[in-house]
Amino acid sequence: MAISVFDLFKVGIGPSSSHTVGPMRAAATFAQTLIDQHLLSDTRRVEVRLYGSLSATGVGHATDRACVMGLMGEWPDRVDPTSINARIQQLRESGRLLLAGQQDIAFNWKHDLLLLDESLPYHPNAMSLHAYGENGLLSEQTYYSVGGGFIIEAAEAASGIAPTSDVQLPYDFSSAVELLALCNKHGLRVSELMMANERAWRSDADIRSGLLHIWSVMRECVEQGLRDEGILPGGLDVPRRAAKLHRSLLEIGKPNVITSTLSAMEWVNLFALAVNEENAAGGRMVTAPTNGAAGIIPAVLHYYMKFNADASDDDVVNFFLAAAAVGILCKKNASISGAEVGCQGEVGSACAMAAAGLADILGATPEQLENAAEIGLEHNLGLTCDPVGGLVQVPCIERNAIAAVKAINATQMALRGDGKHFISLDRVIRTMRDTGADMHDKYKETSRGGLAVSWVEC
């Protein structure tokens, strides 16, 4: 399967790529299918069934709301996050839903949106949608939200074969060994090799403008997170800290990244907190590669760009391209879904990606970049996904800050070496996959184990 940098970095909304972005895309796709099959005008009722992790933490992750917005014809990259609350409230009061933005139908939140205590095969994040006419069922489809906003239909999941495309990449790779061999054979940096692959889809100008747009959304997310204060929604009464921390750091003055290590760490923490607080509030986001881990990559890149006088747009483009190379490896050979392999697949993958991106723009060799990614991922192995209250808040927000600092440290360690190290990135990714398979389901985005249970017991 050919994966683009724009598959890993997608504009969406919070709080979750697998539980919010993916389900909204699935519901919108289903609504569009009704149009394409000329069934929309005959539809009188729709029913949404959520299974597994989508059901267990669906309310806390706004899965129910995302499905409804998708049925109304909204897509995660285009919907106005500030409009959702009012539109959901209006729907609840009126009991009417404008399907695909065109067909007015009755919708009963309690009876037409079901959170079922059962799982479907193939993936924990499963949902099915059903459209009914006057004489019964018109259409149905089952979707799996497999992490990072990616969705696949039931037939694709059952086949066990990844969806294919007609795109032929000049430097296709499925392992870090293959990636390094291609770089060395053709004298390319990782970002250069990725740029050549991206040309199979887009022109250089489109690639550059697309990545700079991704960066602008990330920057705005940080800035919004630095402005907003108050309590995060969901009932845990978690206070937003980024704005207050920002004011405190401004009083200290601009940090010196060479001599003021503690100050540098605080700025990186700040940027990650700002992003993930905004994510928890349901704001505009970029999956990187997921929403649960969305603060790590922008925190590392934001810090580099803000406090490096020589930083340029070229650095932004190369950072994303190199980071995506590692994200591709994680997705192809393990998973970026917390419901499938735990938080190691989200925060761990993002940490490795951020380390790779930073290494590339700091002049790392391909071997040093692979080492940086390996260090970043290795020290997140076994990380569970146990969100308190089913919300992407505790421990998710702080976890992003810790991993952002860890990514920078991984890069620094790798740059001090020659790229030779004991455990390869490929082995660490396989270990993440195997660890996820061995991990009990209660530690994989169900809020039925770990910190989620500890909080309840307190």
Side-chain angles (χ1 to χ4, degrees), residues 225 228 232 239-243 272-283 397:
D228 290 344
L232 292 171
R240 299 182 72 140
R241 292 177 286 174
L273 292 175
V275 170
N276 286 91
E277 287 176 358
E278 191 64 19
N279 176 63
I397 296 173

Side-chain angles (χ1 to χ4, degrees), residues 29-94:
T29 299
F30 183 73
Q32 182 60 47
T33 299
L34 293 177
I35 295 175
D36 296 341
Q37 295 177 344
H38 306 290
L39 296 173
L40 184 64
S41 61
D42 295 326
T43 302
R44 298 293 178 266
R45 174 176 168 262
V46 292
E47 183 179 272
V48 180
R49 302 173 188 174
L50 302 178
Y51 302 90
S53 181
L54 290 187
S55 173
T57 59
V59 175
H61 286 65
T63 308
D64 50 355
R65 296 154 60 89
C67 290
V68 168
M69 296 305 297
L71 288 174
M72 294 167 69
E74 294 287 2
W75 294 83
D77 60 332
R78 298 194 290 269
V79 65
D80 177 5
T82 64
S83 72
I84 293 177
N85 286 342
R87 295 171 69 182
I88 292 294
Q89 183 62 30
Q90 182 182 28
L91 182 147
R92 283 181 174 272
E93 293 175 354
S94 67

